[in-house]
Amino acid sequence: MPANDLHEPSFRHDPANGSWDRVLPGNKSFQRGDEIPKGGGGGQSGREGAPDGEGEDALGVLLSPDEFLDLLFDGLSLPNLRQGTGGEIEAEQWRRSGFVRDGSPSRMHVARTMRAARARRLALRAGKRRALEALQEEREKLLADISARKKQQDDVSIEEERLRDIDAQIAVLQRKMRAVPFIDDSDLRFAHIDRHTQPRSQASMICIMDVSGSMGETEKDLSKRFFLLLYLFLQRQYQNVQIVFIKHHSVAQECTEREFFAAREGGGTLVSPALALAEEIISARFPADEWNVYLAQASDGDNYFADNAVVEEVASRLLQRLRAFYYLEVNRDDESHLLQVYQELAEFFPHMVCTRAQQREDVYPMFRELFSKPQVLEHG
Amino acid sequence: MVDRLLFSDNDWSFSRLDAVDRACAQIAQEELGLDTYPNQLELISAEQMLDAYASIGLPVYYAHWSFGKQHAIESGQYKRGEMGLAYELVINSNPCISYLMEENTMTMQTLVIAHAAYGHNAFFKNNVFFQQWTDAEGILDYLSFAQAYIAACEERYGIQEVSAVLDAAHAIARNGIDRARRPRKLSAREEEMRRQERERYLEQQLSEIWRTLPPTSSPERPAQESRFPPEPTENLLYFIEKNAPQMPSWQREILRIVRKINQYLYPQGQTKIMNEGFACFVHYYIMHRLHETGQITDGSLLEFYASHTAVVFQPDYDDPRYSGINPYALGFAIFRDIQRICSAPTEEDRRFFAFAGDPDWKKQVLFAMREFRDDSFILQYLSPKVIRDLHLFALHNDPENAAYRVTAIHDDAGYREIRERLAQQVAQSSRPPNIVIDKVDRWGDRHLELRQLDAMPLSEKDAQSTLEMIQRLWGYDVFLSGNHPEFSLSARRD
């Protein structure tokens, strides 16, 4: 996590430049005039602090896996999600629901806490207050009595004794009343929030990965990273998104998530069977008026040249039914014919999105970019 | 001889603390002749200690995100075991407040009381630098005023706004101290506040330096050449507080608060070695006397030695634990040495020190404690013996050279040089780069010119962001030039 935003600047010297003199403890063998090479040799410790005693602040923050995923996918969403197709995809929402006695300090509800504290104080003091009032009343009577008797020069020693007794009792009561704490742990109230799921609409994601022989280690690695992010993202942000995995070389095959991520195959490449399979699955399981269907495909772009025409045909049919079509081309220096086909389609269909990744570092930024901009789509 | 144990097991209780405090007070006052503020001892948990750390050890402090950052860093280090907690924390106030940790054993509490409540306390009260610079009576008042004022500003102008002003003020806080002039006493008394408010108000209405109308009496415009400020001024924070052309008065008050609190903390940075050294000297003396008079057990004394040696341990420069000169170690060594030079001087000591052999070592130690600050203290008292004990040596770095050069070691030829170099180094490390306000363009675009006077290169990235902070406060363009003609930075209004 970059500490830049937390850096507190000030005017300070730069110890790396400029000449300085410094006194150090623990000389063992140096004589005057000795030279010590810079940069760690000759026993000079690498840990040269700034002479001003101010270095860069390193601030580490521990995140739970959940928090990490929250950050990872913060602000991302499936584009073009149509609402109210009546069904099962649910978006989660946090909603306030009542108050509890335990919670994180940031959710403490001050008004409720103070109310509880006041109630407790009132309750604990009520009895003493009554006793106090009674004593004070008696004290006043006694004082009147004493002064009356004094006027008649009667003996008041008993009354004064009683007065001292009352004063002592009053003092005790007052101390006890003060001892009732202003706020007690048991007064604390916290706003409670709860997860509520709201039915929104239903969606499915068709994942297509090329596992043919031309896909080397790097290509597979990049593709799998992309799909892994996609998978985590869908699992975390949405409930009940149907995910369909298709792997293909010259033949396409629907598979489980486990088979998909562990896939190792070889052989030549045909892309159209995979798209055809996708189309078949969509027709069978995800009727367009009920489902938001998305498709993501990763490939190195190698395809039998003749197949590209078929791909174009199937893809343009598919695009009529998809909310978005993501094509990720991995690890190529030049653009493949397949990519060109898709790019031409993208001119007609703004929800056809093509992107490329050549190294690991590209994958996450690319993923963020794909899912952070809501795309506009008007069809179907 | 008292000959009565203060405690025999290590659990603390309030009555035991009280007895220990009285025993320490007796030794400190009657034997060592220390003059202290009254003591207030507070027991706190480790959590609270971390909180207190984050606010630079002040018991009441305004809110700012950087304290939270500090807290996150320190509690992380503490939990990972990278940092032990100080056993104590002490506030320069009257009464002098010492915080003891409730986790401490009874021996540790005794050590801490001797160290903080008598050592530091006496230092705060008697060291001439603290006497001149701080007002132990007023500080707690002032801190709670500052806390309330800044909270009120947040309420009124928004946390973001206030935080931006504080960020900028913190950036130049170290350049916000009058070094030469003794500041007026800190004070939160109400009349004073009202008076200042009025004064500021008047100042804003009639600020001489921004008056562009020529005075009616003289038809001539004042000579434009007249510089403002007439002489370069080193207190950036003060200058901006007083002269920023369009700053609302609440922001001026915030700058003032940051400035005052830094002013208050300034002597602590100037006397760290002496202050810690003296406190160690005092606890060392008191613990031994308690043992000699049979008030603590042998076991306690051993426990005390363990933590004492850990505190005054100086790792060598090539030790992975090394992180500079340990002020506790150096200060303690020098104070102990003053005592030794008085009671058992060698020939060498007589050559170096006029007071060698003085029968009254207490007088000499107290004199050293009162009259110096770190750099002058080292110049005056760092003896050849301490230089030899610590194996000190001096290193010179020339950026042109591929190697450091050893310029002095602990031998006859090197003692004086090491002493001077170390004094310089200590003085320098407590001082920020010497940057002054050179000129304000009064008649033109009101830009502010800063100049760096010392020759050490600045860390440029930091300087640039600091300049932007100053620009935010000043409101107009700000420039910084240095000693090298090619060095110049600027921050302009968008």
Side-chain angles (χ1 to χ4, degrees):
Chain A
M1 182 154 295
N4 284 349
D5 291 342
L6 298 177
H7 181 62
E8 295 168 86
S10 68
F11 289 125
R12 53 184 72 145
H13 289 126
D14 179 1
N17 293 315
S19 68
W20 44 252
D21 288 284
R22 197 174 302 161
V23 175
L24 299 147
N27 178 22
K28 281 144 205 128
S29 55
F30 298 137
Q31 294 297 322
R32 174 200 301 271
D34 281 358
E35 305 243 315
I36 308 167
K38 291 177 187 174
Q44 178 64 15
S45 149
R47 209 164 126 192
E48 285 280 318
D52 291 335
E54 288 184 69
E56 192 61 32
D57 310 302
L59 175 59
V61 177
L62 276 181
L63 295 179
S64 70
D66 267 359
E67 287 167 328
F68 175 72
L69 288 177
D70 274 346
L71 276 177
L72 197 67
F73 299 127
D74 183 37
L76 301 184
S77 61
L78 283 174
N80 304 329
L81 199 62
R82 215 170 11 168
Q83 302 272 333
T85 39
E88 293 156 23
I89 171 175
E90 292 175 336
E92 293 212 326
Q93 280 197 331
W94 293 94
R95 222 191 290 157
R96 288 180 55 167
S97 57
F99 300 93
V100 289
R101 280 163 178 264
D102 203 11
S104 80
S106 61
R107 291 203 205 286
M108 195 176 92
H109 196 281
V110 177
R112 289 270 169 171
T113 301
M114 296 315 281
R115 197 191 296 173
R118 188 170 145 79
R120 179 183 46 75
R121 290 197 306 272
L122 281 176
L124 287 178
R125 283 179 188 163
K128 300 188 185 73
R129 185 179 302 279
R130 273 196 295 276
L132 188 68
E133 275 162 13
L135 279 171
Q136 268 159 350
E137 211 168 292
E138 191 184 343
R139 187 173 188 275
E140 258 159 52
K141 272 192 204 139
L142 208 59
L143 281 177
D145 198 16
I146 289 175
S147 67
R149 290 184 71 114
K150 266 189 179 159
K151 264 187 206 137
Q152 303 191 335
Q153 309 210 321
D154 283 349
D155 175 34
V156 291
S157 60
I158 297 175
E159 285 76 8
E160 277 179 345
E161 178 74 21
R162 174 70 188 143
L163 188 64
R164 273 194 294 279
D165 187 36
I166 288 177
D167 281 346
Q169 284 183 39
I170 286 179
V172 168
L173 275 176
Q174 279 173 338
R175 203 171 62 235
K176 280 188 177 162
M177 283 172 69
R178 271 201 306 275
V180 175
F182 189 76
I183 285 198
D184 191 90
D185 278 351
S186 66
D187 302 331
L188 298 180
R189 294 291 182 278
F190 300 86
H192 183 56
I193 58 166
D194 211 1
R195 266 174 190 235
H196 285 260
T197 49
Q198 282 186 324
R200 286 250 306 249
S201 50
Q202 45 194 3
S204 70
M205 173 71 74
I206 319 278
C207 302
I208 300 178
M209 183 162 62
D210 185 350
V211 292
S212 65
S214 62
M215 292 283 286
E217 276 308 308
T218 329
E219 289 80 2
K220 279 188 189 150
D221 180 61
L222 291 172
S223 310
K224 283 177 189 170
R225 275 169 198 273
F226 171 73
F227 283 119
L228 191 67
L229 276 175
L230 183 62
Y231 182 70
L232 278 173
F233 166 62
L234 294 174
Q235 290 285 322
R236 178 152 186 90
Q237 308 296 85
Y238 299 94
Q239 291 193 345
N240 294 337
V241 173
Q242 299 276 326
I243 306 178
V244 175
F245 296 102
I246 296 173
K247 59 179 182 175
H248 74 94
H249 36 101
S250 54
V251 285
Q253 181 193 358
E254 188 181 352
C255 63
T256 65
E257 131 197 358
R258 174 175 279 252
E259 285 163 355
F260 184 78
F261 284 108
R264 290 175 172 278
E265 316 215 351
T269 317
L270 277 179
V271 173
S272 62
L275 294 185
L277 179 59
E279 196 179 19
E280 213 173 281
I281 292 173
I282 293 170
S283 304
R285 291 188 233 157
F286 308 115
D289 53 340
E290 283 174 35
W291 288 85
N292 291 290
V293 187
Y294 298 83
L295 190 147
Q297 181 189 358
S299 165
D300 63 348
D302 273 346
N303 193 17
Y304 281 126
F305 188 74
D307 189 48
N308 283 339
V310 190
V311 167
E312 183 175 355
E313 196 194 316
V314 184
S316 49
R317 267 207 314 275
L318 265 174
L319 276 162
Q320 311 277 351
R321 319 185 49 173
L322 293 174
R323 310 302 296 177
F325 186 138
Y326 299 104
Y327 174 65
L328 169 69
E329 184 151 304
V330 287
N331 199 35
R332 284 193 55 121
D333 296 330
D334 55 337
E335 297 183 350
S336 69
H337 287 293
L338 185 62
L339 181 60
Q340 283 165 16
V341 168
Y342 282 148
Q343 274 168 344
E344 277 162 29
L345 283 174
E347 283 174 26
F348 297 98
F349 301 101
H351 59 297
M352 166 91 234
V353 189
C354 302
T355 180
R356 305 175 66 197
Q358 288 187 300
Q359 48 189 349
R360 287 176 173 189
E361 292 76 38
D362 299 343
V363 175
Y364 178 67
M366 177 211 66
F367 183 83
R368 266 210 91 84
E369 208 190 315
L370 286 184
F371 290 95
S372 59
K373 48 182 175 206
Q375 285 137 39
V376 223
L377 171 68
E378 277 317 321
H379 80 90
Chain B
M1 277 298 187
V2 186
D3 229 0
R4 209 191 74 226
L5 274 181
L6 290 165
F7 52 89
S8 52
D9 62 277
N10 246 334
D11 292 335
W12 63 263
S13 70
F14 285 105
S15 58
R16 281 178 173 185
L17 288 178
D18 192 45
V20 163
D21 183 45
R22 268 184 281 120
C24 289
Q26 200 191 6
I27 297 171
Q29 282 153 9
E30 287 172 21
E31 295 186 26
L32 274 174
L34 295 185
D35 169 29
T36 55
Y37 295 120
N39 275 311
Q40 179 178 334
L41 304 177
E42 306 260 352
L43 280 141
I44 62 176
S45 64
E47 289 289 303
Q48 288 170 308
M49 188 59 107
L50 279 166
D51 285 347
Y53 263 24
S55 53
I56 329 184
L58 295 174
V60 211
Y61 214 173
Y62 57 80
H64 185 251
W65 61 268
S66 63
F67 307 142
K69 175 180 97 168
Q70 204 53 32
H71 186 275
I73 291 174
E74 271 152 5
S75 60
Q77 287 174 338
Y78 177 59
K79 280 182 197 143
R80 290 192 298 274
E82 291 165 13
M83 180 182 91
L85 280 182
Y87 305 110
E88 45 87 21
L89 214 117
V90 51
I91 313 291
N92 170 25
S93 61
N94 183 10
C96 179
I97 307 172
S98 308
Y99 294 100
L100 319 180
M101 278 223 290
E102 55 185 21
E103 281 89 339
N104 290 352
T105 63
M106 201 53 221
T107 304
M108 288 306 301
Q109 303 292 27
T110 312
L111 166 61
V112 167
I113 290 171
H115 180 92
Y118 293 94
H120 283 308
N121 185 345
F123 194 85
F124 291 148
K125 187 166 180 193
N126 293 287
N127 179 271
V128 66
F129 212 53
F130 273 88
Q131 280 184 344
Q132 284 184 352
W133 281 76
T134 61
D135 176 15
E137 315 283 335
I139 184 60
L140 292 182
D141 261 3
Y142 190 78
L143 286 173
S144 43
F145 155 74
Q147 189 183 40
Y149 188 89
I150 285 178
C153 285
E154 283 179 345
E155 190 93 340
R156 243 175 105 181
Y157 308 103
I159 292 181
Q160 299 280 325
E161 269 310 273
V162 173
S163 173
V165 176
L166 280 175
D167 286 350
H170 286 180
I172 50 172
R174 281 174 13 110
N175 299 78
I177 287 158
D178 287 314
R179 282 183 193 77
R181 220 155 26 99
R182 169 183 162 177
R184 283 184 28 258
K185 287 206 161 182
L186 281 182
S187 137
R189 327 251 199 289
E190 221 161 334
E191 300 92 357
E192 179 76 339
M193 290 304 309
R194 282 208 206 104
R195 196 182 62 72
Q196 284 156 358
E197 196 64 52
R198 271 203 303 279
E199 199 177 67
R200 229 184 342 267
Y201 180 70
L202 283 178
E203 212 168 49
Q204 260 182 306
Q205 301 303 300
L206 283 172
S207 178
E208 267 306 306
I209 79 157
W210 301 118
R211 187 158 69 179
T212 47
L213 286 176
T216 43
S217 53
S218 76
E220 276 169 64
R221 242 173 100 152
Q224 287 204 17
E225 296 74 47
S226 77
R227 291 175 66 89
F228 187 82
E231 280 167 19
T233 162
E234 66 165 355
N235 195 331
L236 309 189
L237 208 46
Y238 181 79
F239 185 86
I240 293 172
E241 174 198 327
K242 294 296 175 208
N243 299 310
Q246 291 183 338
M247 186 179 277
S249 67
W250 65 269
Q251 294 189 3
R252 290 181 206 270
E253 188 68 43
I254 287 183
L255 295 200
R256 190 182 146 80
I257 285 170
V258 171
R259 189 165 59 80
K260 289 283 170 189
I261 292 177
N262 265 280
Q263 197 91 259
Y264 166 82
L265 294 171
Y266 177 60
Q268 312 216 349
Q270 298 284 306
T271 55
K272 189 149 178 52
I273 294 170
M274 290 184 70
N275 198 348
E276 295 304 350
F278 184 73
C280 287
F281 181 83
V282 168
H283 78 225
Y284 191 81
Y285 184 87
I286 291 181
M287 292 303 281
H288 275 105
R289 290 293 296 151
L290 287 176
H291 182 249
E292 277 165 31
T293 51
Q295 298 183 79
I296 58 173
T297 60
D298 296 347
S300 282
L301 191 72
L302 284 176
E303 188 188 341
F304 155 71
Y305 277 141
S307 38
H308 172 77
T309 44
V311 166
V312 300
F313 172 65
Q314 172 68 64
D316 290 348
Y317 75 96
D318 53 355
D319 189 303
R321 290 166 291 181
Y322 175 73
S323 62
I325 300 257
N326 175 357
Y328 294 79
L330 183 63
F332 178 69
I334 297 181
F335 273 111
R336 286 281 292 166
D337 205 44
I338 296 174
Q339 185 186 0
R340 182 194 60 82
I341 291 168
C342 289
S343 30
T346 62
E347 257 322 293
E348 183 184 58
D349 295 326
R350 288 187 196 279
R351 268 190 289 130
F352 271 81
F353 301 102
F355 66 88
D358 186 329
D360 190 355
W361 63 264
K362 283 170 197 162
K363 191 184 81 197
Q364 292 298 340
V365 165
L366 293 186
F367 176 80
M369 177 270 280
R370 272 200 313 273
E371 304 292 337
F372 297 88
R373 65 177 193 199
D374 283 348
D375 51 338
S376 54
F377 178 69
I378 287 172
L379 270 184
Q380 195 72 19
Y381 291 109
L382 181 63
S383 70
K385 177 169 187 306
V386 171
I387 293 176
R388 279 195 301 273
D389 289 350
L390 289 171
H391 293 269
L392 295 180
F393 67 108
L395 210 58
H396 177 77
N397 174 49
D398 180 346
E400 306 293 310
N401 250 334
Y404 302 105
R405 197 159 43 81
V406 177
T407 51
I409 61 162
H410 47 91
D411 59 11
D412 276 338
Y415 294 138
R416 281 176 213 278
E417 187 170 346
I418 284 182
R419 191 153 82 179
E420 273 154 33
R421 292 240 182 278
L422 186 58
Q424 260 172 23
Q425 172 181 333
V426 162
Q428 217 163 43
S429 71
S430 62
R431 220 174 279 156
N434 190 359
I435 287 172
V436 295
I437 290 183
D438 201 26
K439 211 169 119 224
V440 172
D441 183 4
R442 291 165 71 184
W443 305 102
D445 61 4
R446 297 180 168 185
H447 74 258
L448 183 67
E449 288 174 29
L450 303 174
R451 198 149 51 86
Q452 188 197 358
L453 295 184
D454 64 301
M456 284 272 285
L458 289 180
S459 149
E460 218 163 296
K461 205 168 135 247
D462 261 322
Q464 181 62 40
S465 2
T466 310
L467 221 53
E468 273 149 28
M469 299 273 191
I470 298 178
Q471 194 279 326
R472 212 175 334 161
L473 293 175
W474 182 252
Y476 297 88
D477 295 354
V478 179
F479 298 89
L480 170 66
S481 59
N483 276 336
H484 318 288
E486 68 270 26
F487 177 81
S488 87
L489 294 173
S490 66
R492 295 167 195 269
R493 275 214 287 183
D494 310 320

